[in-house]
Amino acid sequence: MKYIFLFLLILSTQICSSQVGESAKTTKKIEIVTTLSINNDFNLQDYMIGLSAGIEDLGFEWGARVGFNLRPFYKKVQIKSENNIVRQYREQKYLISLDLDKRFLHFDVFGYKLQLFAGVRTGLLLGNYKGTKIDADKFFVAAPFGGLCLNFNDVGYLKLGYMQFNDHLTNVSDSKIMLTGIINL
Amino acid sequence: MIKYLTFLVLNCSGIVLLSSCNKTDPNCQVSTSCNTEKIDSGDVTINISYEAGQPGVPVILYDGYVEDNVILWSDTVYQSNITFYLPVGKRYAAEAYYVTSNQTIVALDGTKFKDNTNEECNTTCYQFPTVTLDCEKL
């Protein structure tokens, strides 16, 4: 508990100093660069990996990325069917995604440039099952996320955060950790 | 940008070098254990969640996908796995039915039964093919 308090204390002092710095800055302007990113979303029950390409506005610190994510293995899932029948499949999952996020605040913590970020991952969730011709139901997903961003002088970013991702599976929690590496080209 | 291109070129040249190594080794010799004869059948094992003393688990083995409804075998199983000797190159699916008082879980798995091979000096060696269909309950 005391470590969390200490961390928050450090952050709050950094927020104060960063906000002073922010106000002293000159007016921002749009500065778009293209990006490539690797996405990892996981919890104790599931894992998805993906690649995205998009843009990052260095001036206003927002980004948009189109990506393709997949579960790199077949996972047993249970889907409630009619009349108390539960169907258990081995499922592979795909997500065609659009990520929109915004970075904000600047902290200098132990020499590392940190920021907060928040955004949303939207997209179409697809899947198929082994042993059958039927595919998993398609879902449109909108998963909010947020967390900490390690900023490598606007050359790249490492984002670690939390994502609330509803994949409509009873045996997989909606809470996921996201770890995304982004390179500005 | 230049450093990323350099990285890409180095990666590509590495892949080319690695792939060329396999092709040009004149001293490469196929091991005596390498079987070059194709094996046409192998073991398809279905894993089931079964506990001793409990009721048996109805299992259906299909040729192809479940929807094709070509049943190769069906019975109630009283063990945790069952193995069939079947031709390679075909697709198989299996269903296990776990019936309780308030619900039935139908566990399905399926796959294409492929050759079990490895490459030695550009020679394909065939091993006894096996595959497992995982119909164990979550």
Side-chain angles (χ1 to χ4, degrees):
Chain A
M1 191 65 191
K2 64 180 178 183
Y3 294 111
I4 295 169
F5 178 74
L6 186 66
F7 180 69
L8 289 174
L9 189 71
I10 292 167
L11 275 189
S12 61
T13 55
Q14 295 295 331
I15 287 167
C16 292
S17 62
S18 67
Q19 281 172 342
V20 169
E22 287 284 304
S23 62
K25 277 188 179 174
T26 54
T27 53
K28 294 173 181 176
K29 60 175 184 175
I30 294 173
E31 192 184 341
I32 303 282
V33 293
T34 53
T35 61
L36 273 181
S37 68
I38 296 176
N39 315 313
N40 297 277
D41 309 312
F42 57 93
N43 56 24
L44 291 175
Q45 296 108 22
D46 209 355
Y47 172 64
M48 282 189 97
I49 187 166
L51 278 175
S52 301
I55 55 168
E56 189 80 21
D57 179 357
L58 302 182
F60 288 94
E61 303 190 320
W62 61 270
R65 292 172 296 281
V66 177
F68 179 76
N69 306 272
L70 66 88
R71 180 193 286 144
F73 55 91
Y74 282 91
K75 179 173 178 58
K76 277 186 201 169
V77 298
Q78 289 188 339
I79 313 285
K80 259 201 173 294
S81 185
E82 74 290 344
N83 299 332
N84 295 331
I85 290 179
V86 175
R87 299 212 165 262
Q88 179 180 304
Y89 299 106
R90 292 187 66 209
E91 179 200 60
Q92 194 157 46
K93 210 81 173 172
Y94 310 93
L95 175 70
I96 299 161
S97 63
L98 171 67
D99 286 11
L100 296 167
D101 66 10
K102 170 87 176 91
R103 288 177 286 120
F104 49 92
L105 301 180
H106 288 264
F107 316 115
D108 233 338
V109 180
F110 307 117
Y112 293 102
K113 291 181 179 175
L114 289 178
Q115 292 189 275
L116 298 180
F117 73 94
V120 66
R121 172 169 294 170
T122 60
L124 190 62
L125 191 62
L126 310 158
N128 55 40
Y129 303 130
K130 293 194 93 176
T132 174
K133 291 174 187 169
I134 63 164
D135 292 327
D137 288 339
K138 298 174 184 66
F139 292 106
F140 176 79
V141 290
F145 58 74
L148 271 178
C149 170
L150 194 56
N151 185 338
F152 298 98
N153 295 322
D154 282 333
V155 173
Y157 314 97
L158 190 65
K159 294 179 175 178
L160 178 67
Y162 169 84
M163 181 188 283
Q164 182 71 20
F165 186 94
N166 181 6
D167 48 15
H168 300 266
L169 295 177
T170 52
N171 59 319
V172 174
S173 166
D174 292 345
S175 301
K176 289 191 175 172
I177 293 169
M178 64 179 294
L179 180 63
T180 303
I182 302 173
I183 301 174
N184 292 342
L185 299 176
Chain B
M1 189 67 186
I2 290 167
K3 65 180 174 186
Y4 299 125
L5 285 173
T6 314
F7 178 71
L8 194 67
V9 168
L10 282 173
N11 263 327
C12 290
S13 54
I15 290 165
V16 169
L17 277 172
L18 279 173
S19 58
S20 62
C21 284
N22 270 341
K23 288 173 187 167
T24 57
D25 185 359
N27 299 321
C28 186
Q29 282 202 328
V30 179
S31 67
T32 51
S33 61
C34 174
N35 168 36
T36 55
E37 293 287 311
K38 191 170 162 55
I39 301 172
D40 61 2
S41 296
D43 283 349
V44 176
T45 300
I46 305 170
N47 283 349
I48 304 144
S49 296
Y50 174 75
E51 287 173 33
Q54 296 296 308
V57 181
V59 175
I60 304 174
L61 176 64
Y62 297 92
D63 186 347
Y65 290 102
V66 169
E67 290 82 4
D68 300 335
N69 209 24
V70 181
I71 297 174
L72 287 175
W73 178 91
S74 71
D75 206 344
T76 301
V77 176
Y78 294 88
Q79 57 201 56
S80 59
N81 60 63
I82 184 160
T83 301
F84 300 88
Y85 185 68
L86 292 168
V88 175
K90 298 182 78 176
R91 186 174 286 280
Y92 300 103
E95 274 182 331
Y97 288 74
Y98 300 98
V99 184
T100 59
S101 56
N102 55 350
Q103 69 174 14
T104 300
I105 296 171
V106 185
L108 168 68
D109 193 13
T111 192
K112 178 107 185 259
F113 192 20
K114 294 176 184 166
D115 291 317
N116 184 7
T117 62
N118 65 303
E119 291 289 319
E120 283 185 30
C121 311
N122 292 330
T123 303
T124 303
C125 305
Y126 292 89
Q127 288 154 5
F128 186 73
T130 58
V131 73
T132 301
L133 301 178
D134 184 357
C135 293
E136 286 177 78
K137 196 166 55 170
L138 250 179

